[in-house]
Amino acid sequence: MASTLWRPLAVWLLTLLACLVFLPARAGVMDGASMKQAFPLPLVVGEKDKALPVWPIYKQEATETILVGYAFESIDLAPLPGFSGVPVNLLVLLDAQGGFRDVRVLSQHEPVFLDGLGPEPLEKFVAQYKGLNLKQHVKIDSRAKSAGQDASANVIIDGVAKATASVRIVNQSLMSSALAVARAKMGFAEGRDPSLIGRIREDVFEPLDFNALQRAELVTRQTLRNRDVEAAFAGSVGEGQDEEARRNPGGLFTEWMVLHLNVPTVGRNILTEKGWRYLKTWIEPGDHAFLVATRGRYSFVGEDYQGGAVPTRLTLSQGGLPIELRDLDVDDKIRLPEDWRGADVHWKVFKVISQASLDPTQPMKFALSVTREKGLILPEKVRKEFEMEIQLPEDYAIPSGNEQQSWKTSWTGRKLDLSVLAVGLALLTVMLARPAWLVRDERRMRWVRNAYLLYTLGFIGWFAQGQLSIVNLTGILQAIVNGRSLGFLLYDPMTVLLWGYAALTFFVWGRGTFCGWLCPFGALQDLISQLAGYLGVYKKWKRRAVPRVWDRRLKGVKYVVLAVIVALALIPGSNLVDSAVEVEPFKTAITLAFVRSWPFVVWAVAMVLLSVFVYKGYCRYLCPLGATMAILGRARLLRWIPRRVECGQPCQTCRHRCAYQAIEPQGQIDYNECFQCMDCVAIHDSDTRCAPLISARKGQTIPIRTIKEQVA
């Protein structure tokens, strides 16, 4: 039945998908009445904006109506799908300065926050945004002790340990939607999403002298004469306060220049090789370093300047947002022109940290401020800024793209986990591609396989949270149906890497590589079955094979389960799929380690205990993910399990030993149901277990029986 179901099922799924894929995406749910209920008096809800789905919120003070901020739903502005394929919808109140006045969860379909951890952790997570500002860079850390504000304008909020990827998606949706409102309504007209930034090209370098750097537009300079500065103060209390300017209007006030040292063509030509290596050790990915130099009677370094502090005379901004500069102590000889080596020359290297999200492909404005004052006791001060715009040439930077999302932090933050997984997958590939050493010794094979199953259960499952799930499939389908990007998948790097490896092995070995070796819940069932044998359970209750006729029928049930789940996932606006996917005990047993409400724990424990008496009964008969793997596994190009002419006619050793009942009486392997345990491979190569080899060694022959006799 399993072998005949997949073709009509695939046609049915594709037809249904084609019918539904162009249905409109779901939008916000709030209307005027519900907004007034959410923000009651003394707040006043204005009319919904016609151009942007936001609601102005006012407050009446005496006879004056004051704008408090703007309320909006994140799903209207940044509908980033979660792992169910449906975006989390947040109600946000953003004040007129870009601060979060209120953040609430309106709806969510994240599997881990439904019946897993429950909705409370997500509600507590979004509540942390109250009081924060868009000008701060928010970093998520699941370690509660690290939460709080650090020394700069950045802030760390507490994540949710078992839902790291989900809360990163929520953060991205919240920040992206809030920035959209800030850009349109609050003067952040050129502000950019911090996760959508370009980067410096590290592979471009050309040895150039200073003049060549200027011709390449890699040096930005500005000359200010005394008359220029005096003109800026005209009409203010600062006018005429500079005696030197009055005596010599054409004299040099200051000349200043800025160079972007991250650019290899700049940094390696301006710094010595030693200085370049030193700089690279002090700037992290996303950090930027600038050389600022002045000559003349006015310097960016004031008399009260202290090393390590924020300069008072020099500022940097991008898109209307201020960016903090900190000096970086670089003890090196700077290669400046000869006329930039006098006593009036000052230079420093300033660092911009990655959390500032500076985009090197966009214009940057450096400003040198000059302050004048008038009066002795209570002097009146006035300050003027002289701006210089920096624009890096296109050849030296890679512009941002729509796919360059904040998911990158999910990958960089899990480098160690991904490395351990990569090593494990490489080891598994070697074992499966060259199994001779492994299957040669039955005891060795048992120990190696069990060790790998423990790695799968302990590291991939419970520690790294890498359990693949049918939720991955329903999330993709719902995202497609609603016309949304599949970028949400990138927020869970373990899942991406495992799916990528499984996809590749479909072409080589079929479904068995994942189901037999990399599924944490499958590993749990296997290990529990072995433990039951060790404890003597089978001495009292013998595990029996399911009759072949019923085995075939039951193996078709998982395809029906899959079809039902897929159908529910494709119904617009339906939440039934959230309940249907609970047929999988993975979330209970692996993601939440059985810490969940009792009905789910009972189901998960029942499925584990089922494997004690019916070997991997859940995997073989009920698992919708297993059905998906079996369908996709039909891309297999090899019949990799060795067979002899005697296999099935007359020898039945492998078939009787196959706990998965994946070998036909005629000896053929049903690769759609094979879990790649390699027991039959070990038997095939053993002259003490393989009947044909035993007979050949003893000079005997095995009597041939008909298929009907063998099945009987």
Side-chain angles (χ1 to χ4, degrees):
M1 183 177 181
S3 61
T4 59
L5 265 176
W6 78 273
R7 287 187 179 88
L9 177 63
V11 172
W12 176 80
L13 292 179
L14 290 173
T15 302
L16 187 57
L17 178 60
C19 293
L20 297 175
V21 71
F22 295 108
L23 288 175
R26 61 181 72 188
V29 297
M30 301 292 284
D31 56 16
S34 55
M35 275 292 180
K36 291 177 181 178
Q37 186 176 2
F39 302 106
L41 295 174
L43 298 178
V44 178
V45 179
E47 293 294 324
K48 187 177 182 179
D49 193 286
K50 295 181 180 180
L52 195 71
V54 298
W55 307 76
I57 306 296
Y58 303 96
K59 186 176 182 180
Q60 191 73 33
E61 291 189 2
T63 59
E64 186 178 6
T65 301
I66 300 174
L67 176 67
V68 174
Y70 296 91
F72 56 91
E73 295 177 70
S74 62
I75 199 170
D76 285 329
L77 298 162
L80 189 64
F83 283 97
S84 66
V86 179
V88 172
N89 191 19
L90 305 174
L91 177 62
V92 185
L93 176 57
L94 195 68
D95 68 29
Q97 288 74 43
F100 292 102
R101 288 281 297 264
D102 197 4
V103 182
R104 311 177 198 173
V105 179
L106 288 178
S107 64
Q108 59 92 12
H109 296 265
E110 291 301 279
V112 73
F113 292 128
L114 290 175
D115 297 307
L117 297 174
E120 291 82 7
L122 180 59
E123 293 169 356
K124 290 181 180 178
F125 172 76
V126 301
Q128 297 177 92
Y129 287 90
K130 296 179 183 178
L132 302 186
N133 195 286
L134 276 175
K135 296 181 180 180
Q136 295 172 301
H137 181 69
V138 177
K139 180 179 179 181
I140 300 170
D141 196 322
S142 59
R143 299 167 295 178
K145 64 180 181 180
S146 65
Q149 189 151 341
D150 64 18
S152 65
N154 307 300
V155 67
I156 300 173
I157 63 175
D158 184 25
V160 182
K162 293 184 179 295
T164 304
S166 290
V167 295
R168 287 190 186 279
I169 293 175
V170 171
N171 175 74
Q172 176 69 15
S173 180
L174 173 61
M175 300 303 287
S176 297
S177 58
L179 278 165
V181 174
R183 285 192 289 267
K185 295 294 184 181
M186 302 174 190
F188 290 31
E190 298 176 7
R192 297 179 62 77
D193 188 330
S195 65
L196 298 176
I197 58 176
R199 62 186 188 276
I200 299 294
R201 289 194 60 175
E202 302 288 344
D203 58 337
V204 175
F205 170 72
E206 184 180 2
L208 301 175
D209 60 18
F210 192 84
N211 290 330
L213 288 175
Q214 290 189 106
R215 289 194 297 271
E217 300 182 350
L218 293 171
V219 180
T220 307
R221 301 172 66 169
Q222 184 183 59
T223 300
L224 295 174
R225 300 291 175 181
N226 289 331
R227 68 170 69 92
D228 301 324
V229 179
E230 192 65 28
F233 283 97
S236 71
V237 297
E239 183 178 7
Q241 297 299 312
D242 187 348
E243 294 183 6
E244 177 67 22
R246 292 200 305 269
R247 289 195 303 268
N248 184 16
L252 178 66
F253 181 78
T254 190
E255 182 178 6
W256 63 303
M257 63 181 176
V258 178
L259 297 92
H260 201 156
L261 294 179
N262 285 59
V263 180
T265 300
V266 177
R268 292 179 61 182
N269 286 311
I270 291 296
L271 302 172
T272 65
E273 198 62 35
K274 175 184 176 182
W276 172 254
R277 289 196 302 268
Y278 177 82
L279 179 70
K280 296 297 286 184
T281 62
W282 278 96
I283 56 175
E284 302 289 337
D287 291 350
H288 293 271
F290 296 92
L291 172 69
V292 180
T294 58
R295 67 172 181 172
R297 66 188 186 93
Y298 188 82
S299 171
F300 68 91
V301 180
E303 296 177 357
D304 57 348
Y305 180 78
Q306 296 180 352
V310 177
T312 57
R313 294 183 177 180
L314 184 69
T315 58
L316 169 63
S317 64
Q318 186 175 60
L321 299 177
I323 295 176
E324 185 178 275
L325 290 167
R326 294 273 183 175
D327 69 349
L328 182 63
D329 186 15
V330 177
D331 185 14
D332 193 35
K333 295 180 180 179
I334 304 297
R335 296 166 180 164
L336 296 178
E338 290 291 336
D339 55 348
W340 279 77
R341 299 183 183 179
D344 63 339
V345 174
H346 299 90
W347 65 267
K348 279 189 177 296
V349 175
F350 290 95
K351 177 181 176 180
V352 175
I353 61 175
S354 61
Q355 289 85 350
S357 300
L358 181 72
D359 190 338
T361 66
Q362 300 299 311
M364 298 165 273
K365 287 185 179 180
F366 279 84
L368 184 65
S369 63
V370 180
T371 303
R372 290 184 179 180
E373 59 184 47
K374 185 177 183 180
L376 296 177
I377 300 176
L378 294 174
E380 187 177 356
K381 296 183 178 181
V382 60
R383 187 176 73 171
K384 298 295 181 180
E385 290 189 342
F386 299 88
E387 293 184 343
M388 184 165 63
E389 185 172 279
I390 311 295
Q391 178 66 70
L392 194 64
E394 294 180 358
D395 294 342
Y396 300 95
I398 302 173
S400 62
N402 292 333
E403 296 304 318
Q404 189 180 344
Q405 302 286 343
S406 63
W407 54 262
K408 286 191 173 183
T409 58
S410 302
W411 290 74
T412 56
R414 301 196 68 180
K415 287 181 180 177
L416 182 59
D417 293 352
L418 294 173
S419 298
V420 174
L421 178 60
V423 171
L425 296 179
L427 178 61
L428 178 61
T429 303
V430 172
M431 289 193 300
L432 298 182
R434 295 289 185 268
W437 172 86
L438 182 62
V439 302
R440 190 178 301 128
D441 186 302
E442 185 178 357
R443 185 171 180 271
R444 177 199 298 155
M445 179 176 168
R446 183 172 64 254
W447 278 98
V448 170
R449 176 166 170 76
N450 285 340
Y452 202 93
L453 292 178
L454 286 170
Y455 159 81
T456 296
L457 176 61
F459 173 74
I460 296 180
W462 284 330
F463 179 80
Q465 298 285 286
Q467 172 73 67
L468 300 189
S469 168
I470 194 62
V471 173
N472 304 139
L473 176 63
T474 58
I476 291 172
L477 291 177
Q478 290 189 315
I480 293 174
V481 166
N482 289 283
R484 300 189 181 102
S485 168
L486 299 181
F488 68 93
L489 297 171
L490 297 175
Y491 285 83
D492 191 351
M494 295 293 293
T495 297
V496 171
L497 193 53
L498 282 168
W499 268 113
Y501 182 82
L504 290 175
T505 56
F506 286 150
F507 294 98
V508 184
W509 297 298
R511 75 170 283 196
T513 306
F514 173 78
C515 293
W517 292 85
L518 294 171
C519 178
F521 188 73
L524 176 62
Q525 293 177 85
D526 200 325
L527 294 169
I528 289 294
S529 296
Q530 294 185 54
L531 179 62
Y534 178 78
L535 296 176
V537 172
Y538 299 131
K539 293 180 180 178
K540 186 173 182 180
W541 296 288
K542 186 177 181 180
R543 185 171 66 196
R544 296 182 180 275
V546 177
R548 185 165 174 265
V549 173
W550 280 103
D551 175 67
R552 284 197 168 194
R553 292 173 179 173
L554 290 173
K555 282 176 177 174
V557 173
K558 60 180 176 286
Y559 295 95
V560 177
V561 175
L562 172 63
V564 170
I565 290 176
V566 169
L568 294 176
L570 294 175
I571 299 175
S574 173
N575 297 332
L576 294 176
V577 70
D578 297 336
S579 300
V581 296
E582 291 297 342
V583 71
E584 276 190 343
F586 303 167
K587 181 166 62 177
T588 302
I590 305 301
T591 305
L592 301 174
F594 293 99
V595 181
R596 204 178 180 191
S597 56
W598 70 266
F600 300 101
V601 174
V602 168
W603 172 250
V605 171
M607 292 301 98
V608 173
L609 293 179
L610 175 64
S611 68
V612 174
F613 303 101
V614 179
Y615 188 69
K616 284 195 175 180
Y618 173 81
C619 298
R620 293 160 59 192
Y621 303 135
L622 291 175
C623 182
L625 180 65
T628 304
M629 295 290 181
I631 293 172
L632 297 176
R634 290 181 174 271
R636 177 186 50 81
L637 301 175
L638 304 176
R639 292 181 176 271
W640 64 273
I641 298 178
R643 300 276 81 193
R644 289 191 173 88
V645 294
E646 296 92 345
C647 293
Q649 300 182 34
C651 183
Q652 296 287 307
T653 302
C654 291
R655 182 173 77 90
H656 291 311
R657 296 287 183 89
C658 181
Y660 300 97
Q661 298 178 249
I663 302 178
E664 299 292 337
Q666 298 89 341
Q668 296 96 333
I669 305 295
D670 184 358
Y671 285 96
N672 298 321
E673 299 300 331
C674 174
F675 282 61
Q676 206 168 352
C677 67
M678 304 212 305
D679 284 346
C680 60
V681 179
I683 294 173
H684 178 275
D685 292 352
S686 173
D687 58 5
T688 61
R689 301 169 64 196
C690 177
L693 291 184
I694 296 172
S695 299
R697 186 182 60 185
K698 294 181 178 180
Q700 300 175 346
T701 58
I702 303 176
I704 297 177
R705 296 177 296 164
T706 65
I707 294 297
K708 185 179 293 186
E709 292 173 331
Q710 295 173 35
V711 175

